[in-house]
C-alpha cells in the first residue's frame, strides 16, 4: 500500500527543527497501525506527509505505486482525493454546512454527480448511526457526534487509506470507545488504517504499534 524510505522533514527558521529524521515504514493493504509519541515528536508532521499534504525534504514516499515525493502539488491533491480519508482531533467540520453537506464535500471535489454523492453521504452517515442528525450543523452536535460525522466524511468515498490524527483526543471515555469501534469496523471492512494517538489504550487496539521519538520511528 505505502512505503516511506529515509523520510526527513526539517522546518527552517531561526531555530531549525528536524521534525522527522530518516523515517522508514512499510504499510500493507488492510493493516491497522498505531503510532504513539509525546507532543513534538513529529506525529502530525508524519501524518501530513502520509496524507500528501506536505512533502519530505529527503527520502522516498510511494503510495499505491506512485512517488509522492516527486509528485507536483496537483498530483498530490489528486492522490489525496482518490486514496485518503482524514480524521482529525478537532473534527474540522465546516460550521455553515449540515452534517450531510460536510460528508458530501469531498465527493463534490471528486466530481461525483449530486444524486449519487447524496446517496453515498447518506449511507456513510447511516453507518455511523447519524441518519437522524444529518440536517444538523456541527454546533448542534456533541463532540462524539461531530467525530462520527467526520468519520463518515473520511470513508464516504471508500478511500483505501484512512489517516486519523488523535481522533479521540477531544473525547471522553465512552465516546472514545464508540469512535474506536467505528474505526475498527472500517478496518475489518478492508480499509488500511493509520492511527496517531497519545492514548496507550487506544494504541493497543492496533495490529501493529509504533512509536515516534524525536522524529525517529521505532517498532514496539
Ligand atoms: P506532534 O504532532 O508529535 O506534537 P509535530 O509534528 O506537530 O509533533 O511537530 C514536530 C516538531 O516540529 C515540533 O518540535 C514542532 O514544534 C515543530 N514544527 C511543527 N510544525 C512546524 C512548522 N510549521 N514550523 C516550524 N516548526 C514546526
Ligand atoms: Mg500533533
Amino acid at each position: 500500500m505505502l512505503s516511506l524510505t529515509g523520510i526527513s522533514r526539517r522546518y527552517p527558521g531561526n531555530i531549525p527543527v528536524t521534525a522527522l529524521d530518516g523515517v522508514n515504514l512499510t504499510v500493507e493493504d488492510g493493516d491497522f497501525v498505531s503510532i504513539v509519541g509525546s507532543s513534538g515528536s513529529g506525529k502530525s508532521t508524519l501524518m501530513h506527509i502520509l496524507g500528501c499534504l506536505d512533502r519530505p525534504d529527503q527520502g522516498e514516499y510511494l503510495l499505491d505505486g506512485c512517488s509522492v515525493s516527486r509528485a507536483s502539488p496537483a498530483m498530490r491533491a489528486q492522490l489525496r482525493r482518490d486514496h485518503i480519508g482524514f480524521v482529525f482531533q478537532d473534527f474540522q467540520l465546516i460550521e455553515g454546512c449540515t452534517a450531510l453537506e460536510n460528508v458530501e464535500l469531498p465527493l463534490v471535489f471528486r466530481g461525483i454527480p449530486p444524486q449519487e454523492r447524496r446517496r453515498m453521504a447518506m449511507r456513510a452517515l447511516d453507518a455511523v448511526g447519524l441518519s437522524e442528525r444529518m440536517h444538523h450543523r456541527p454546533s448542534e452536535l456533541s463532540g462524539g457526534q461531530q467525530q462520527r460525522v467526520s468519520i463518515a466524511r473520511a470513508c464516504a468515498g471508500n478511500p483505501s487509506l484512512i489517516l486519523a490524527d488523535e481522533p479521540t483526543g477531544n473525547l471522553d471515555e465512552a465516546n472514545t470507545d464508540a469512535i474506536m469501534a467505528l474505526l475498527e469496523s472500517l478496518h475489518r471492512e478492508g480499509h488500511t488504517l493509520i492511527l496517531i494517538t497519545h492514548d496507550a489504550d487506544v494504541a493497543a487496539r492496533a495490529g501493529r504499534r509504533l512509536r515516534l521519538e524525536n522524529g525517529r520511528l521505532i517498532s514496539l
Side-chain angles (χ1 to χ4, degrees), residues 82-104:
D82 295 342
H83 295 258
I84 304 173
F86 291 93
V87 182
F88 298 99
Q89 177 172 1
D90 57 357
F91 323 132
Q92 304 246 358
L93 299 173
I94 295 171
E95 185 45 51
C97 295
T98 64
L100 183 62
E101 288 162 349
N102 268 284
V103 175
E104 271 188 67

Side-chain angles (χ1 to χ4, degrees), residues 132-165:
E132 260 137 54
R133 293 278 187 279
M134 67 180 174
H135 298 303
H136 289 247
R137 290 174 196 279
S139 61
E140 299 163 343
L141 300 170
S142 72
Q145 287 171 334
Q146 288 184 60
Q147 195 59 304
R148 277 148 69 190
V149 173
S150 99
I151 288 176
R153 178 184 57 188
C155 69
N158 203 26
S160 45
L161 175 62
I162 293 180
L163 295 176
D165 191 357

Side-chain angles (χ1 to χ4, degrees), residues 36-52:
V36 293
S38 54
S39 183
S41 59
K43 300 186 299 298
S44 292
T45 302
L46 178 59
M47 168 86 160
H48 292 152
I49 287 177
L50 287 169
C52 307

Side-chain angles (χ1 to χ4, degrees), residues 16-212:
V17 176
T18 300
L20 295 177
D21 185 8
V23 167
N24 298 309
L25 171 66
T26 303
V27 176
E28 307 292 345
D29 274 331
D31 275 357
F32 175 10
V33 179
S34 67
I35 301 174
V36 293
S38 54
S39 183
S41 59
K43 300 186 299 298
S44 292
T45 302
L46 178 59
M47 168 86 160
H48 292 152
I49 287 177
L50 287 169
C52 307
L53 295 162
D54 188 16
R55 252 163 72 164
D57 301 307
Q58 272 178 47
E60 177 69 289
Y61 173 19
L62 293 174
L63 173 61
D64 280 342
C66 299
S67 169
V68 182
S69 331
R70 283 192 290 268
S72 67
M75 266 287 289
R76 287 206 309 278
Q78 190 183 337
L79 282 167
R80 190 159 68 231
R81 197 185 64 200
D82 295 342
H83 295 258
I84 304 173
F86 291 93
V87 182
F88 298 99
Q89 177 172 1
D90 57 357
F91 323 132
Q92 304 246 358
L93 299 173
I94 295 171
E95 185 45 51
C97 295
T98 64
L100 183 62
E101 288 162 349
N102 268 284
V103 175
E104 271 188 67
L105 202 56
L107 307 173
V108 174
F109 296 130
R110 277 200 194 185
I112 295 170
Q115 280 196 338
E116 167 79 356
R117 69 180 184 239
R118 182 131 303 196
R119 199 179 53 71
M120 291 165 76
M122 286 171 79
R123 195 176 52 204
L125 280 167
D126 187 44
V128 300
L130 278 183
S131 290
E132 260 137 54
R133 293 278 187 279
M134 67 180 174
H135 298 303
H136 289 247
R137 290 174 196 279
S139 61
E140 299 163 343
L141 300 170
S142 72
Q145 287 171 334
Q146 288 184 60
Q147 195 59 304
R148 277 148 69 190
V149 173
S150 99
I151 288 176
R153 178 184 57 188
C155 69
N158 203 26
S160 45
L161 175 62
I162 293 180
L163 295 176
D165 191 357
E166 303 265 12
T168 61
N170 287 5
L171 303 178
D172 62 23
E173 223 171 289
N175 278 303
T176 291
D177 220 50
I179 291 302
M180 285 309 298
L182 278 176
L183 291 172
E184 283 165 346
S185 73
L186 291 173
H187 170 239
R188 277 195 303 275
E189 285 165 21
H191 294 278
T192 306
L193 179 58
I194 302 180
L195 173 82
I196 290 177
T197 182
H198 259 101
D199 184 330
D201 292 337
V202 167
R205 297 168 81 146
R208 215 173 124 203
R209 291 171 301 125
L210 306 168
R211 176 193 297 282
L212 260 175

